[in-house]
Amino acid sequence: MSATTLLTAEPTPPAGLTPAQVEVLRTLTQRVVAARAAKAAADAAELRVLAEAMALATSRGAERSDLAVREIAAELAAAVRASDRTIQARMDDAVMALGRFGATVDALGKGEIERAHLNAIVDAGAHIDDEAARGAYEAALDHARRESPGRLRPAARLLAQRFDPVPSQERHTLAAAARRVWVDDGDDGMADLVLRCAAAVAHGAFDRAARIARAVIDAREKPDANHAEGARDCGEAPASDVRTLSQVRADVLADLILTGHATSAESASSIPTGEAIHAQVHVIVPVTTLAGGGEAGALATGGPIDPDSARRLAAGATTWTRLLTDSSGHVLATEAYRPSTAIRAALVARDRHCRFPGCRQPARRCDIDHTHAREHGGPTSIGNLAHLCRRHHVLKHRTAWRVVQRPGGVLEWTSPTGLVYPDVPAPPLMFTAGYV
């Protein structure tokens, strides 16, 4: 949204674009930024109108307020061709946003953030009842206008955990009491099986299913390996098996639940006999939490994890990596038994996802890229490495987009038109108030 206020640099003529075309692209970029800013301002104006409508309804007396809300919601809905239930819900949301997160709504009105940013901040912080704590939480997210809504959401959840006066362990205990499984029936003979449970358990289950699915696909793509030294005795996957990783993962998870085995009716299992596939859950745990403190840990994906679960996972860990950070959370160095593993662990902890602005592709699905190319003398060190998904890795090497890495792991991306977009690592985004 605020690209026009970012740093600028001399445009690098991209392959395939003439200088005149670069100027056209610059103009288009400015126009889309202006259009989105106007849309954000309109969204803020609508919130204020809906809040005024709710105030009008409730001013008629408590005994008639519910009917008055319905009456006014129906009027507004008819005017904009929407459901009156939807408008009534938006009236409630508008009162919540303006009453509890007024500064964020003001930023929306100025076009500094978008509606999705507001929703992420409100959804994560709505449960903070203490006004001072809620204000501190909102102020800590002031710099969120630099990030995409997808990146903001996990950061907002983690910050809400930290600013809420209610201890995180107490909140987790209450939330865990609501764990359950349910089915949502869909169309075309399909349904969603949903498990609500502790975050570490959910990520562990997903990781194990993904590892088994990847082993099945690897065996399918290398059929000769099925007979290597008699390691596999479950038969080969049929040649007609063209399932995607997502499809195999879903089949594997259903098989594990129904039979206790990762064998599918659609294709024979290709997992080596006796080869245990365990889940991996990467957790960042403050040393004070290990010592019994109440500060929440964080999953490598960015979501918070309650202190008891963090300590339990740490107690069962077979490998430890100590990360040394500065006061803002920037990873400076790492200590572990194997340096290559240590560097990877430090990068996962710092990056968590692809480091192109706005991208949320998890680090485990990304390439580790030398910011300054290795063949041109770039060192293999934390200060010259970053996770890039394949899409943005190709973009870096084959287009006029350029990137340099600044201290603290900040990546500065320069577009073909010369605009500079800084990408800040996750820890400062989550833990530092008012980062500039």
Side-chain angles (χ1 to χ4, degrees), residues 200-249:
V201 174
H203 281 276
F206 182 89
D207 183 79
R208 184 164 187 244
R211 287 171 178 271
I212 295 174
R214 172 51 63 191
V216 170
I217 287 181
D218 286 347
R220 181 182 72 194
E221 294 174 350
K222 301 176 182 178
D224 291 343
N226 287 330
H227 304 292
E229 299 180 3
R232 304 177 186 271
D233 61 358
C234 297
E236 298 181 17
S240 60
D241 184 8
V242 293
R243 292 175 296 168
T244 65
L245 177 61
S246 293
Q247 291 169 339
V248 177
R249 187 165 52 215

Side-chain angles (χ1 to χ4, degrees), residues 27 29 47 58 64 74 93 206 216 242 253-254 262 264 269 274 300 304 308 314 335-336 340 387:
T27 301
T29 302
L47 283 173
T58 55
R64 294 193 57 196
D93 292 342
F206 182 89
V216 170
V242 293
L253 189 57
S264 170
S269 173
D308 279 355
E335 295 179 6
S340 61
H387 283 92

Side-chain angles (χ1 to χ4, degrees), residues 113-135:
I113 61 173
E114 297 185 13
R115 182 61 184 267
H117 291 91
L118 173 68
N119 292 343
I121 292 172
V122 172
D123 291 346
H127 67 278
I128 304 178
D129 293 324
D130 182 85
E131 186 174 351
R134 191 171 60 249

Side-chain angles (χ1 to χ4, degrees), residues 9-25:
E10 287 301 318
T12 302
L17 289 182
T18 66
Q21 289 172 327
V22 169
E23 289 304 315
V24 171
L25 178 57

Side-chain angles (χ1 to χ4, degrees), residues 39-369:
K39 182 177 183 297
D43 286 338
E46 181 179 332
L47 283 173
R48 298 185 189 282
V49 170
L50 293 175
E52 290 179 23
M54 180 64 81
L56 175 63
T58 55
S59 68
R60 298 170 60 181
E63 69 280 359
R64 294 193 57 196
S65 62
D66 182 63
L67 184 58
V69 170
R70 295 185 193 179
E71 180 182 18
I72 291 174
E75 171 74 23
L76 298 178
V80 298
R81 299 175 299 281
S83 163
D84 61 316
R85 289 184 175 86
T86 298
I87 295 299
Q88 185 171 340
R90 290 181 179 175
M91 290 166 63
D92 289 330
D93 292 342
V95 172
M96 159 71 80
L98 284 161
R100 292 194 159 202
F101 301 96
T104 306
V105 176
D106 289 342
L108 179 69
K110 295 174 183 177
E112 296 172 345
I113 61 173
E114 297 185 13
R115 182 61 184 267
H117 291 91
L118 173 68
N119 292 343
I121 292 172
V122 172
D123 291 346
H127 67 278
I128 304 178
D129 293 324
D130 182 85
E131 186 174 351
R134 191 171 60 249
Y137 157 78
E138 186 178 21
L141 286 168
D142 179 67
H143 61 288
R145 65 198 67 187
R146 290 189 170 196
E147 291 293 344
S148 68
R151 287 191 180 182
L152 171 63
R153 193 168 292 278
R157 287 199 298 265
L158 188 56
L159 273 173
Q161 294 265 351
R162 295 182 180 279
F163 281 102
D164 195 330
V166 179
S168 59
Q169 190 59 54
E170 180 179 334
R171 294 196 305 272
H172 173 73
T173 300
L174 292 173
R179 62 190 181 277
R180 63 192 182 101
V181 178
W182 70 94
V183 175
D184 284 335
D185 290 318
D187 298 328
D188 303 319
M190 302 298 289
D192 295 324
L193 175 65
V194 186
L195 167 65
R196 184 179 297 277
C197 62
V201 174
H203 281 276
F206 182 89
D207 183 79
R208 184 164 187 244
R211 287 171 178 271
I212 295 174
R214 172 51 63 191
V216 170
I217 287 181
D218 286 347
R220 181 182 72 194
E221 294 174 350
K222 301 176 182 178
D224 291 343
N226 287 330
H227 304 292
E229 299 180 3
R232 304 177 186 271
D233 61 358
C234 297
E236 298 181 17
S240 60
D241 184 8
V242 293
R243 292 175 296 168
T244 65
L245 177 61
S246 293
Q247 291 169 339
V248 177
R249 187 165 52 215
D251 294 340
V252 162
L253 189 57
D255 293 337
L256 286 171
I257 294 173
L258 293 172
T259 70
H261 304 286
T263 56
S264 170
E266 185 168 343
S267 75
S269 173
S270 298
I271 308 304
T273 301
E275 179 180 315
I277 294 182
H278 303 285
Q280 287 190 0
V281 180
H282 298 279
V283 183
I284 301 169
V285 187
V287 67
T288 53
T289 299
L290 294 179
E295 186 177 1
L299 295 166
T301 54
I305 181 174
D306 65 285
D308 279 355
S309 293
R311 282 188 286 268
R312 185 169 61 253
L313 289 170
T318 57
T319 302
W320 285 73
T321 300
R322 183 169 67 169
L323 303 176
L324 307 178
T325 70
D326 62 17
S327 59
S328 298
H330 293 287
V331 177
L332 301 177
T334 180
E335 295 179 6
Y337 293 112
R338 288 174 291 185
S340 61
T341 302
I343 289 177
R344 289 177 179 272
L347 287 171
V348 168
R350 186 196 71 183
D351 294 346
R352 306 195 182 193
H353 45 61
C354 171
R355 293 297 310 284
F356 188 83
C359 184
R360 282 283 299 167
Q361 188 72 245
R364 67 179 182 274
R365 299 178 188 169
C366 295
D367 303 327
I368 295 179
D369 173 67

